[in-house]
Amino acid sequence: MARLQKIMIGHGLLILLVAQLAGFALVFVLIGGIEVWPGTILSIPIYGTEAGWVRAHSGGTMNGILVVVIGLALPKIPLSDFMQKLTAWGFIYISWSFTGFYWFGNAAANRSLSMGDNPLGESDIYGVLGYVPGLISIVLIFVLLAVGAKNVLAAAKEET
């Protein structure tokens, strides 16, 4: 279990790093680049919108924290060896796919909210790359959270 925890914490920290990079992209979109001297902006063109980079920055930060927290909590969640591994790798997958969803969604006209065209815009490869892995994660996160909560609460009930 200690190995799984370290892997989860390591991935969580990497996801946090990517989220912080999205913060730089947000600054680039807001002011058109980076200030290298007071009043002097070095132009850095970047794709996406302010709102999209806010989501990538804040959502990515929450995804990284999620993996770290679940990794730290893993010893307190009574699970079989198989379910421990599924939980660890499942949350790593979920957090990376959601991170990809934010980045690809910022590049996609349809914001990666569907594989096809939607009221926000037309589909493209970025929309599909953001949507498909995230769709799998939507199902997986509910299953893993429900199983974990059920097992923790059942174990707590047994202790009374």
Side-chain angles (χ1 to χ4, degrees):
M1 177 167 327
R3 181 177 178 275
L4 286 176
Q5 286 184 285
K6 288 175 184 173
I7 291 168
M8 290 185 78
I9 292 167
H11 278 273
L13 295 174
L14 288 173
I15 292 164
L16 284 166
L17 177 64
V18 172
Q20 300 318 298
L21 292 174
F24 280 111
L26 174 59
V27 171
F28 300 159
V29 166
L30 288 171
I31 66 171
I34 189 166
E35 187 174 52
V36 293
W37 187 260
T40 305
I41 305 290
L42 174 64
S43 178
I44 300 176
I46 186 101
Y47 71 93
T49 64
E50 175 184 343
W53 288 116
V54 167
R55 287 188 294 269
H57 179 58
S58 59
T61 299
M62 291 306 297
N63 286 324
I65 291 170
L66 172 69
V67 176
V68 171
V69 167
I70 297 296
L72 293 172
L74 200 56
K76 299 291 186 183
I77 307 170
L79 298 168
S80 68
D81 287 344
F82 171 78
M83 280 305 297
Q84 281 180 356
K85 289 176 184 167
L86 180 62
T87 298
W89 289 108
F91 274 103
I92 289 167
Y93 172 82
I94 289 163
S95 294
W96 278 117
S97 74
F98 285 167
T99 298
F101 164 78
Y102 292 123
W103 284 71
F104 287 124
N106 206 14
N110 71 357
R111 295 192 194 160
S112 293
L113 294 173
S114 62
M115 277 198 289
D117 299 350
N118 64 41
L120 298 171
E122 294 181 7
S123 179
D124 57 21
I125 188 64
Y126 301 115
V128 173
L129 288 172
Y131 179 78
V132 173
L135 182 62
I136 296 165
S137 292
I138 290 169
V139 174
L140 187 57
I141 196 166
F142 281 105
V143 170
L144 293 178
L145 288 172
V147 168
K150 175 188 164 286
N151 288 356
V152 168
L153 293 173
K157 185 176 181 182
E158 289 177 9
E159 290 179 11
T160 58

